[in-house]
Amino acid sequence: MATAVHRNGSLSTVSLQGFMLVGFGGGAETQALLFTVFLVLYVVTILGNLTMIMVITLDARLHSPMYFFLKNLSFVDLCYSSAIAPNALANFLSASKVISFEACATQLFFFSLLATTEAFLLAVMAYDRFMAICSPLRYPVTMCPTVCARLVLSTYCGGCLNSIVQTSLTFRLPFCSSNRIDHFYCDVPPLLQLACASTALNELFLFGLCGFIIVSTTLAVLVSYGYITVTILRMHSGSGRHKVFSTCGSHMMAVSLFYGTVFVMYAQPGAVASMAQGKVISVFYTLVIPMLNPLIYSLRNKDVKDALQRLRQRHSLVTRGGK
């Protein structure tokens, strides 16, 4: 249901079939080009993250806390992009571009849940590296499998809490008869633009919660890597220092890309009004970053590259044996 505004200023409830995702606009050629770009990004994202999950699961040498968190990051990225890309791809080929209220609320819920989970998970991964490098003797006890599982579960709980708050507050608003969402998926800022009632409380929660999540997790990452940097500089072994820098550099690259784009979109005043810029930024953190994360960790990580090589050799031996 939605609320229509009549010429005399009164409000009445009308029944709309759903929202229409405007997307990027443009003619058939533009839509075809965008479909191709999104499809390539999504396919690479699926292949890259599934490969990371498979390699870490199958190679016993990667059964450590760091790779346990990395496998969960790949799983979150896979689900994260899947909450957005399939519907966006269908809309590029559709004339109506309609999404039902229920589907819109569901998409917003899972998008918010997974995005928040990723933010917390990146902070947990920074803490893991801090413990491994700065307290190596305590590390096996501190980051035992039970603790790791609880940390991952807590990231999902934090994501679920933020998602419930954002989704419930957004869909309690009365929406005007215009059902055109100026975006390619259901998100809080473009939905607030369609509301008839005051959205001050919603914007306060969006800015406050997202700001708190981003600032707190970023602070955790910065403090962890501050201690890590000091510890690395005290190392006498050049090879050990290079290995640590390589591993931590991959994580810092992923963190910078994710937090930077999310901060621009959600954790600054006036973010709700900047939809044109928001669409481009959204493509980056919903599709590009989930695609880049496996590449960043695999290309810069010797252990992952060695594991991939062992899997290739094992597959080659099995293939030859079958012949």
Side-chain angles (χ1 to χ4, degrees):
M1 302 297 287
T3 304
V5 183
H6 296 289
R7 293 180 181 179
N8 61 8
S10 64
L11 298 177
S12 66
T13 301
V14 297
S15 178
L16 298 177
Q17 296 300 315
F19 294 112
M20 178 168 49
L21 294 167
V22 175
F24 293 92
E29 292 183 359
T30 302
Q31 296 297 305
L33 177 60
L34 288 170
F35 175 85
T36 304
V37 172
F38 271 56
L39 181 62
V40 170
L41 291 175
Y42 185 50
V43 169
V44 175
T45 298
I46 292 174
L47 294 177
N49 285 289
L50 282 178
T51 300
M52 287 297 292
I53 293 171
M54 180 187 69
V55 169
I56 294 171
T57 301
L58 296 179
D59 196 302
R61 299 185 190 183
L62 299 183
H63 292 178
S64 65
M66 182 178 78
Y67 293 105
F68 173 73
F69 294 129
L70 182 54
K71 182 167 72 170
N72 278 276
L73 178 66
S74 293
F75 175 74
V76 170
D77 279 335
L78 185 62
C79 297
Y80 182 33
S81 57
S82 296
I84 305 297
N87 186 72
L89 289 169
N91 282 339
F92 287 133
L93 303 178
S94 171
S96 63
K97 304 182 187 298
V98 171
I99 183 171
S100 69
F101 289 109
E102 294 79 9
C104 187
T106 302
Q107 186 180 57
L108 174 59
F109 176 83
F110 282 105
F111 163 71
S112 180
L113 185 156
L114 294 163
T116 308
T117 299
E118 178 150 343
F120 285 126
L121 188 56
L122 289 171
V124 167
M125 291 172 70
Y127 174 71
D128 171 70
R129 291 298 83 209
F130 160 73
M131 291 302 302
I133 295 168
C134 300
S135 301
L137 298 178
R138 295 171 51 195
Y139 180 70
V141 177
T142 305
M143 301 302 292
C144 66
T146 302
V147 171
C148 292
R150 287 175 180 173
L151 285 171
V152 169
L153 180 61
S154 69
T155 65
Y156 282 99
C157 290
C160 190
L161 179 62
N162 181 53
S163 181
I164 290 172
V165 171
Q166 299 292 354
T167 305
S168 59
L169 284 177
T170 300
F171 280 88
R172 285 179 61 186
L173 291 169
F175 294 103
C176 299
S177 56
S178 174
N179 64 343
R180 295 168 60 86
I181 298 177
D182 189 17
H183 217 313
F184 63 94
Y185 66 93
C186 291
D187 197 7
V188 175
L191 283 167
L192 295 186
Q193 294 183 341
L194 304 182
C196 298
S198 171
T199 60
L201 179 63
N202 297 73
E203 293 184 34
L204 179 63
F205 268 94
L206 178 67
F207 175 70
L209 277 177
C210 293
F212 171 76
I213 291 168
I214 294 171
V215 170
S216 61
T217 51
T218 302
L219 186 61
V221 170
L222 291 177
V223 170
S224 296
Y225 277 95
Y227 280 106
I228 288 171
T229 301
V230 172
T231 304
I232 291 174
L233 293 177
R234 290 175 178 173
M235 287 182 176
H236 299 293
S237 171
S239 60
R241 187 183 303 176
H242 174 74
K243 183 177 180 179
V244 172
F245 263 126
S246 177
T247 302
C248 295
S250 300
H251 186 220
M252 282 304 297
M253 191 181 301
V255 166
S256 301
L257 288 171
F258 182 79
Y259 286 156
T261 52
V262 172
F263 179 84
V264 171
M265 186 65 186
Y266 298 103
Q268 59 171 337
V272 172
S274 56
M275 282 298 99
Q277 178 189 19
K279 292 179 190 179
V280 178
I281 296 172
S282 296
V283 172
F284 200 77
Y285 69 76
T286 58
L287 288 170
V288 176
I289 291 177
M291 177 195 71
L292 289 177
N293 278 345
L295 299 177
I296 290 172
Y297 282 103
S298 61
L299 292 177
R300 292 178 57 86
N301 191 302
K302 185 177 183 300
D303 292 336
V304 174
K305 287 188 286 188
D306 290 344
L308 282 169
Q309 185 63 32
R310 286 193 293 271
L311 284 177
R312 289 195 196 100
Q313 292 173 353
R314 191 186 308 171
H315 176 72
S316 177
L317 290 173
V318 171
T319 304
R320 291 174 185 174
K323 292 180 179 180

